[in-house]
Amino acid sequence: MDWRDHGILLGQRRHGETSAIIEVFTRDHGRHAGIVRGGTSRKIAPILQPGAQLDVTWRARLEDHMGSFTVEPMRSRAAAAMSGRLALAGLNSVCALLRFCLPEREAHHALYQRSEQLLDLLGQDDVWPLAYLNWEMALLEEMGFGLDLSACAATGTNEELIYVSPRSGKAVSRQGAGEWADRMLPLPDFLGMGADITDAGIAEGFRMTGYFLENKLAPALGNKPLPEARARFTELFGRLSKL
Amino acid sequence: MSSTSDIDSLIELMARLPGLGPRSARRAVLHLIRKRGQLLTPLAGAMQQVADTARECLNCGNVGTSDICDICDSEKRATGELCIVEDVADLWAMERSQVFRGRYHVLGGTLSALDAVGPEELRIPRLLDRVETEGITEVILALNATVDGMTTAHYIADQLGERVRITSLAQGVPIGGELDYLDDGTISAAMRARKAL
């Protein structure tokens, strides 16, 4: 069996003296693991950094086998990520969340495309946090916990959408929340009311997506704790934005 | 068969060493037996000696034969500079180059989400203690230029805050390196770190 695909390297670890086991999020085959022979060599090890865009060929005798990859680098993103601490924390968070959420060997074309676009923006710290927030919402949607921010779940209006229901993930207006307002999650005003995008609003967005990742997605995946890399990224964003 | 079982078990043990397999281990053991007086007996003695005395330095994590290693024990090394490395092999590489005359701190790994290595698994609390108590003025982060290495470097820098000067090794074209053979990440890092001639 063999196939060839493009993919994003999510992580790698040593296997024996000279090989490495890598996990790649591929376009047509989803999250897929395999062995890279000679993966710890001076020639290949620098290529196998998280976030790298690779052209991979997978081979195995049977489909159930782990199999082995041969890899060709397409784009290295490590240098862009290493240029700043926010980019590095963001890259770690993206790779950790993809490893956390994605089932093995199941294609997610839309999420793959969003992830590739997001990682290509690494190093552009002025636009990256917002792109990351949008990517987290796309991740939730792909995993079946999408947020519906188009209209109020209670009244149907699209005016003054300032809350999100923690139960349904739907937007709720000020009027629609009524006496339940204190149980609602705040919705960033740039998402609900088209206000200007601010760092404070993006941080509020991270708290909102964090809630659904932790309380909806994680329990559905066997109650594993969310990767610490995400908390480090959002904490760093808050600190660098002086929030 | 039983008459060679000791030799077989030695071959089996040797084959577990890095860089050796069963065939090369057999060759090595045969060579040792042939050079019994010159190699095998002194090697066995030296290995026993190291097995009895080798230990990690309680201060920095270096490997030595006493609780405090020679580097930590030497007053000449108290320059106020502390070089942070991932493991003992990196410390030995730095010592080979003879460019650094301060003290070291061996972390024992890097932060890694994949391998679930968090700050608690590394010697970071001890590092913070040392910076306070040893009059450190500069911390040099000599960690690998990998995503995990740089993540660890940033984490340590955050923990140390502005108490000391924090520097890291430069990244770019290696001595004797040809641009044509470098990966684009290295060229990009070298370009960003260019300097006036």
Side-chain angles (χ1 to χ4, degrees):
Chain A
M1 298 226 49
D2 64 339
W3 48 256
R4 187 173 175 180
D5 203 349
H6 289 180
I8 299 162
L9 184 80
L10 300 181
Q12 65 96 10
R13 58 173 180 266
R14 263 184 108 95
H15 178 69
E17 275 183 53
T18 56
S19 300
I21 294 178
I22 62 170
E23 265 190 280
V24 189
F25 180 25
T26 59
R27 189 181 49 196
D28 298 328
H29 300 84
R31 183 168 69 91
H32 209 294
I35 294 175
V36 179
R37 309 272 175 216
T40 57
S41 69
R42 280 187 197 175
K43 189 179 160 203
I44 300 183
I47 297 168
L48 300 182
Q49 292 296 306
Q53 190 73 29
L54 302 173
D55 180 312
V56 295
T57 304
W58 180 81
R59 283 191 190 85
R61 194 167 61 80
L62 296 174
E63 195 176 345
D64 289 347
H65 288 180
M66 175 181 266
S68 62
F69 279 124
T70 48
V71 298
E72 281 290 326
M74 293 172 71
R75 290 195 295 287
S76 165
R77 298 188 178 102
M82 287 181 200
S83 62
R85 60 182 58 193
L86 191 68
L88 194 58
L91 172 66
N92 279 326
S93 182
V94 170
C95 291
L97 278 176
L98 286 172
R99 278 202 309 261
F100 177 76
C101 297
L102 291 177
E104 276 198 273
R105 303 187 178 197
E106 192 179 291
H108 290 271
H109 291 111
L111 184 63
Y112 174 81
Q113 206 169 1
R114 294 293 294 258
S115 304
E116 192 180 345
Q117 287 165 353
L118 175 72
L119 292 176
D120 284 339
L121 290 175
L122 268 176
Q124 299 180 37
D125 286 356
D126 48 341
V127 295
W128 210 82
L130 178 63
Y132 176 87
L133 176 63
N134 288 328
W135 175 84
E136 274 197 349
M137 292 203 290
L139 176 73
L140 282 168
E141 186 162 348
E142 189 80 17
M143 296 295 112
F145 299 98
L147 308 181
D148 179 1
L149 307 180
S150 57
C152 174
T155 63
T157 180
N158 52 15
E159 302 279 310
E160 278 202 298
L161 299 176
I162 60 168
Y163 299 116
V164 176
S165 162
R167 184 169 291 181
S168 65
K170 290 182 178 173
V172 179
S173 65
R174 186 189 303 277
Q175 198 187 359
E179 62 186 64
W180 304 99
D182 58 339
R183 298 192 187 181
M184 296 288 163
L185 299 171
L187 174 66
D189 51 7
F190 69 88
L191 287 174
M193 299 199 292
D196 288 343
I197 297 162
T198 60
D199 286 347
I202 293 172
E204 200 156 65
F206 290 155
R207 283 192 286 276
M208 175 184 75
T209 51
Y211 177 86
F212 289 100
L213 287 169
E214 198 165 337
N215 295 287
K216 298 288 181 185
L217 182 59
L221 297 173
N223 254 335
K224 293 183 289 183
L226 271 187
E228 276 183 32
R230 184 192 183 272
R232 279 195 213 121
F233 169 69
T234 54
E235 187 267 329
L236 181 66
F237 174 73
R239 194 147 39 89
L240 294 179
S241 309
K242 297 189 169 69
L243 296 173
Chain B
M1 192 66 196
S2 62
S3 61
T4 61
S5 64
D6 291 346
I7 296 172
D8 287 341
S9 63
L10 179 59
I11 292 170
E12 213 170 282
L13 286 170
M14 293 279 276
R16 291 190 208 166
L17 296 178
L20 293 184
R23 188 176 290 221
S24 44
R26 203 173 298 130
R27 282 175 54 207
V29 168
L30 195 57
H31 184 74
L32 287 170
I33 292 170
R34 283 180 181 150
K35 304 264 179 182
R36 185 186 303 239
Q38 295 146 278
L39 271 179
L40 183 57
T41 310
L43 180 66
M47 287 176 92
Q48 186 59 54
Q49 182 74 15
V50 171
D52 291 342
T53 58
R55 67 196 71 181
E56 275 186 0
C57 172
L58 297 176
N59 199 36
C60 72
N62 186 13
V63 172
T65 54
S66 53
D67 286 341
I68 300 296
C69 71
D70 293 345
I71 295 174
C72 290
D73 210 25
S74 166
E75 275 306 312
K76 283 184 187 167
R77 293 288 198 142
T79 59
E81 291 174 336
L82 189 65
C83 182
I84 315 297
V85 292
E86 185 180 325
D87 63 31
V88 177
D90 298 334
L91 187 157
W92 289 352
M94 292 289 291
E95 281 294 278
R96 271 202 311 275
S97 69
Q98 297 187 342
V99 290
F100 179 68
R101 304 314 298 164
R103 286 178 174 159
Y104 294 93
H105 190 81
V106 182
L107 290 177
T110 50
L111 298 175
S112 168
L114 185 63
D115 299 326
V117 179
E120 308 75 36
E121 278 78 34
L122 306 178
R123 282 194 199 87
I124 293 175
R126 177 72 194 129
L127 166 66
L128 302 179
D129 280 353
R130 290 187 69 189
V131 169
E132 290 294 325
T133 57
E134 291 184 22
I136 301 298
T137 53
E138 180 176 356
V139 168
I140 302 163
L141 296 163
L143 299 172
N144 293 334
T146 59
V147 169
D148 285 347
M150 295 311 291
T151 302
T152 310
H154 285 309
Y155 179 82
I156 292 172
D158 285 345
Q159 294 296 304
L160 289 171
E162 291 176 1
R163 279 179 280 183
V164 286
R165 182 170 181 242
I166 302 169
T167 55
S168 69
L169 297 186
Q171 292 164 1
V173 184
I175 303 293
E178 294 176 35
L179 288 184
D180 194 23
Y181 289 96
L182 292 183
D183 64 288
D184 52 358
T186 306
I187 292 177
S188 154
M191 194 65 193
R192 273 200 303 273
R194 67 188 182 275
K195 58 183 181 183
L197 279 176

